[in-house]
Amino acid sequence: MDRSISIAIPYYNNSNFMNETLKTIVNDNRISEIVICDDKSNDIDALKKKLEDISSNKVKLFENKKNMGCYHNKINSVTKCTNEWCILLDSDNYLEKDYLDRLFEINDWEKNTIYVPDRPKTFPGNPSQNMDYRKYSDQYITKEKYINNFNNINFQCLINTCNYFLPCKEFVLCMKDGFNKYNRNIIDCLDSAVLFTDWLCKNKIKVVKGLEYYHRLHSNSNYMNGLSRKYEADVKARLLSKIKMNK
């Protein structure tokens, strides 16, 4: 059985980081395509130059006709993938061979499940204690667990981290309603938490022991710069309410 996977990279103004993002995945034979969806970046020429230097036919660059925002461009990038499964990878982060090795140790990838890393290796600086999810390793995040842990800072980071492994068609179908109705100006700083919550309403999420990647902490991240942060408390309340209603 062909288990080739895709990498879906929603991209916006991160050309300085892309060499690290692409260095491992471009040479791994288990990855047959790398989809990059540019969201009307100011540095698109710099990105194109880096992609020319890499010169890999795996890389497919798509340019949005208008700026969609983080939430919508994450879904958009997955729609472009041609494999059944993809890693939804933020353009300022990167992963090494061991991430892929750990995924391929799982014999059967279940189409109703998203597989989440248990330990982002944050950099630069000391490891972030808030982004250590190993207390949930090898566990499914049930609705009850979501409700009981919602106010824990590690859990709130977990649901808003992204960089997970997912079934493409099922993911896009699940997010169809949200894609059409959510206001980016309200949800974008919690885009991954919204995706996580909407998926969990009807599907499963597993935190995979030993699934680790490198997560860059910087002042220009979507969360740090998002204008929607003033709605953060309201969005979190809505997400918790949604899970309670679907319990």
Side-chain angles (χ1 to χ4, degrees):
M1 181 181 69
D2 182 15
R3 297 186 92 195
S4 296
I5 66 172
S6 303
I7 305 286
I9 303 177
Y11 177 87
Y12 186 69
N13 287 340
N14 276 328
S15 62
N16 289 339
F17 305 143
M18 286 300 285
N19 283 339
E20 279 187 308
T21 302
L22 295 172
K23 66 178 181 179
T24 297
I25 58 179
V26 77
N27 293 315
D28 197 299
N29 291 331
R30 293 167 290 189
I31 297 167
S32 66
E33 67 175 357
I34 301 169
V35 171
I36 303 172
C37 283
D38 173 63
D39 203 21
K40 297 292 288 185
S41 296
N42 297 321
D43 68 348
I44 184 64
D45 291 337
L47 172 64
K48 288 180 177 179
K49 178 62 169 61
K50 288 183 182 293
L51 298 183
E52 287 176 4
D53 292 341
I54 292 171
S55 186
S56 171
N57 58 11
K58 286 185 181 182
V59 179
K60 302 175 182 179
L61 175 63
F62 298 88
E63 298 180 58
N64 296 344
K65 293 182 179 180
K66 64 178 182 179
N67 180 268
M68 303 177 72
C70 297
Y71 167 86
H72 291 88
N73 200 35
K74 276 186 168 68
I75 300 170
N76 182 49
S77 65
V78 177
T79 68
K80 309 296 185 185
C81 295
T82 61
N83 289 311
E84 293 184 1
W85 289 84
C86 78
I87 299 169
L88 182 54
L89 180 66
D90 289 329
S91 59
D92 49 358
N93 300 326
Y94 69 96
L95 52 86
E96 297 283 10
K97 178 178 176 293
D98 56 357
Y99 182 109
L100 295 160
D101 291 343
R102 183 66 189 93
L103 280 183
F104 279 80
E105 288 173 0
I106 303 171
N107 290 327
D108 295 308
W109 300 329
E110 299 179 0
K111 289 291 187 70
N112 64 346
T113 304
I114 283 178
Y115 298 91
V116 178
D118 73 342
R119 184 57 169 151
K121 297 179 179 179
T122 60
F123 72 100
N126 295 324
S128 169
Q129 297 305 308
N130 292 339
M131 296 183 69
D132 186 343
Y133 315 138
R134 286 176 289 184
K135 67 177 290 185
Y136 306 108
S137 293
D138 268 347
Q139 299 178 38
Y140 285 94
I141 304 300
T142 62
K143 296 182 182 71
E144 182 177 8
K145 193 182 298 292
Y146 184 109
I147 294 167
N148 291 339
N149 288 268
F150 189 78
N151 291 321
N152 178 282
I153 184 61
N154 292 74
F155 189 79
Q156 291 200 0
C157 289
L158 166 64
I159 69 174
N160 200 41
T161 297
C162 197
N163 302 285
Y164 33 59
F165 185 57
L166 57 88
C168 298
K169 290 182 180 179
E170 291 76 9
F171 179 81
V172 172
L173 181 62
C174 180
M175 304 306 162
K176 183 177 180 180
D177 288 344
F179 188 90
N180 292 326
K181 73 179 183 182
Y182 287 150
N183 185 340
R184 57 175 289 186
N185 296 320
I186 295 176
I187 69 164
D188 253 11
C189 80
L190 291 173
D191 58 333
S192 294
V194 175
L195 295 170
F196 187 108
T197 303
D198 282 353
W199 178 265
L200 185 59
C201 284
K202 296 181 179 179
N203 299 284
K204 298 193 294 184
I205 294 174
K206 185 174 184 179
V207 181
V208 180
K209 183 177 182 179
L211 190 62
E212 301 178 343
Y213 72 98
Y214 292 84
H215 190 105
R216 188 186 306 272
L217 302 177
H218 61 102
S219 59
N220 290 322
S221 69
N222 167 56
Y223 179 75
M224 295 300 295
N225 281 341
L227 298 177
S228 61
R229 284 193 69 181
K230 62 184 177 180
Y231 300 108
E232 183 174 355
D234 181 55
V235 173
K236 286 180 178 178
R238 293 184 186 185
L239 295 179
L240 180 58
S241 176
K242 188 168 191 176
I243 289 294
K244 289 179 176 178
M245 290 175 61
N246 283 274
K247 187 178 177 182

